[in-house]
Amino acid sequence: GIDQNLRSKMSKAIESGSGFFRGVEKDGSALGNSVSEIVSGMLNFAVPDLYPKLDMGARKLKGDEADKVLTAANLKGLPPIFYDTDDGLNLVTKQGNKYLPNVGAPTVVEILNFIKSQHSYGSKVTGGSLEEHFQGFDYGWERDLLRLVLAVLLRAGAIEIRHQGERYTSYSNPEARVPLTSNRAFKSATFAPRETINLKILADAAKHYEEITGKEVN
């Protein structure tokens, strides 16, 4: 039929023709012996350039990881994806005898820096805007990864969440889990960096306490 004839001609054109990506020519026959091989070869050539940070967060997730990190009594017995394994994201690190959220993990740094940057400009960061940024060029990350990393940040006390007029700072609050487990709630929820007391303020407070009470702060 016409469709079959069209597909045949298109296949021949791809196999005998050339493809271009950002001005660079790739000969079809040099990429493979079939249309699927040629298309795959072209994607292998183009995707790393379009999504240089894809590998950083491209993992197969079940979708319940955010809930796991928020409800776990401790962070020791989570799935391998949380740790520094071959396919893990290094979201949890061991310090002494404790397992703690790792705010230095590559995906965590990327997302937290984006939130801080937007917040410094006075821009509101919603789940929808996070999806728009991180699912687009450079990243290509899935929503489940974003929710997982945000859950780690919430457990670490690095961010706060606002949803339906309520502000959440504690990961142990069941209501705080809703924006990170519900697709609809996630899109409309807003995320902001949580203000923390810097070390100088803590040191000054300890000094004043000792001067007033005569007791040393442990």
Side-chain angles (χ1 to χ4, degrees):
I2 296 176
D3 290 344
Q4 185 175 357
N5 188 34
L6 178 61
R7 283 197 296 268
S8 177
K9 289 184 176 182
M10 287 184 65
S11 297
K12 289 180 180 179
I14 293 173
E15 292 168 0
S16 60
S18 299
F20 290 85
F21 177 71
R22 291 184 173 173
V24 179
E25 181 180 4
K26 288 289 183 179
D27 182 63
S29 61
L31 294 172
N33 298 318
S34 65
V35 172
S36 61
E37 289 181 1
I38 294 170
V39 172
S40 178
M42 196 66 187
L43 288 175
N44 288 337
F45 169 64
V47 167
D49 194 56
L50 292 172
Y51 303 94
K53 297 180 180 180
L54 176 63
D55 285 346
M56 185 191 299
R59 299 293 189 280
K60 187 176 181 180
L61 301 174
K62 293 182 178 179
D64 62 350
E65 287 82 3
D67 191 61
K68 284 183 180 296
V69 75
L70 293 174
T71 57
N74 61 69
L75 301 179
K76 182 179 180 180
L78 295 171
I81 191 74
F82 284 92
Y83 306 107
D84 189 16
T85 59
D86 290 340
D87 199 37
L89 292 168
N90 197 22
L91 300 174
V92 174
T93 184
K94 187 178 181 181
Q95 295 184 14
N97 294 323
K98 293 184 178 180
Y99 287 81
L100 302 172
N102 182 15
V103 294
T107 53
V108 178
V109 171
E110 290 287 335
I111 292 177
L112 182 58
N113 282 349
F114 175 76
I115 293 174
K116 286 182 176 180
S117 174
Q118 294 299 301
H119 190 261
S120 68
Y121 291 129
S123 299
K124 186 180 294 186
V125 178
T126 65
S129 63
L130 284 166
E131 284 186 341
E132 183 178 355
H133 181 75
F134 286 102
Q135 289 182 347
F137 290 133
D138 290 336
Y139 297 94
W141 294 353
E142 295 183 354
R143 179 190 297 145
D144 285 340
L145 175 72
L146 302 181
R147 297 195 301 194
L148 167 57
V149 172
L150 290 166
V152 171
L153 284 168
L154 180 64
R155 178 138 189 172
I159 63 170
E160 62 181 51
I161 302 174
R162 289 186 181 272
H163 179 58
Q164 294 184 340
E166 298 293 332
R167 174 175 174 263
Y168 302 107
T169 58
S170 174
Y171 75 91
S172 61
N173 186 337
E175 296 299 319
R177 297 199 293 269
V178 176
L180 298 176
T181 55
S182 164
N183 290 339
R184 185 174 181 179
F186 175 70
K187 285 181 175 294
S188 61
T190 60
F191 304 87
R194 186 176 175 187
E195 297 296 331
T196 56
I197 302 175
N198 64 45
L199 293 178
K200 184 178 185 305
I201 293 176
L202 288 175
D204 289 342
K207 180 180 178 181
H208 293 315
Y209 176 83
E210 291 173 1
E211 290 174 349
I212 293 171
T213 65
K215 297 179 181 179
E216 184 177 349
V217 178
N218 296 323

